[in-house]
Amino acid sequence: MSGYVRQIPTCGARGEASAPLMKGLLLKCLPEEVSLARRAIRKSLSGYRREVVDNVEQCASETVANAIVHSGGEGDGEDVTIMLVIVELREKVRIEVIDGGAEGGVPEIGAHDDMEGESGRGLFIVETLADAWGTYVDEHGRNVWFEVNLP
């Protein structure tokens, strides 16, 4: 595993049972980082039902892959950082993928004419598997988030 993994400490007052657990992972803008994100999700959510973990892992893979493709990195991707944030709440898991954004880079679901193609289905998959999702884009970058409810 790469040496740029960072964990964000638990939020909330010490001993507060309802405080969310937050973990963060810094990723380089390289395709092989998607597998690192998948492993982090599996490790962080190992105590949850398999269906929840599978859905979160798939949605995270799609949003990280989209960030790598659309983040506007220069050169070989070493100079661009993507942040994967895992937030465990009592009733759901929330994932945020934050990157530097790109010109005109508002994430949206495209046409699904070519469901057999190799790209273009990421946000459609997220919309299908997640219970909620959205984006936030400003002058500092882009945040694509999704939530999966816990049974």
Side-chain angles (χ1 to χ4, degrees):
M1 212 179 264
S2 301
Y4 46 85
V5 175
R6 303 284 186 264
Q7 291 230 344
I8 300 170
T10 303
C11 291
R14 189 172 283 254
E16 185 178 318
S18 63
L21 177 61
M22 296 178 66
K23 299 173 187 169
L25 177 66
L26 290 176
L27 303 167
K28 294 180 181 177
C29 194
L30 300 169
E32 54 267 24
E33 297 290 77
V34 175
S35 62
L36 181 61
R38 292 177 77 98
R39 283 193 308 270
I41 295 290
R42 286 237 170 248
K43 183 178 179 182
S44 293
L45 304 180
S46 63
Y48 292 97
R49 287 180 43 187
R50 183 183 177 113
E51 178 184 346
V52 169
V53 177
D54 288 348
N55 286 349
V56 172
E57 180 185 16
Q58 184 64 46
C59 291
S61 295
E62 299 298 338
T63 53
V64 168
N66 282 349
I68 290 169
V69 170
H70 300 292
S71 66
E74 301 294 326
D76 62 4
E78 293 283 333
D79 61 335
V80 178
T81 302
I82 297 167
M83 173 65 102
L84 171 71
V85 179
I86 304 165
V87 184
E88 296 175 60
L89 300 161
R90 186 183 328 203
E91 68 283 349
K92 61 189 162 191
V93 174
R94 180 181 175 102
I95 303 294
E96 298 190 21
V97 177
I98 304 160
D99 64 63
E103 292 291 322
V106 177
E108 59 184 33
I109 297 175
H112 310 298
D113 298 333
D114 184 14
M115 292 308 281
E116 300 298 318
E118 290 187 27
S119 66
R121 296 182 309 276
L123 289 179
F124 175 74
I125 291 169
V126 172
E127 182 172 80
T128 301
L129 296 177
D131 293 296
W133 76 278
T135 63
Y136 178 76
V137 180
D138 66 14
E139 68 275 5
H140 302 293
R142 171 182 42 224
N143 179 329
V144 178
W145 60 268
F146 66 88
E147 296 174 344
V148 174
N149 293 337
L150 298 174

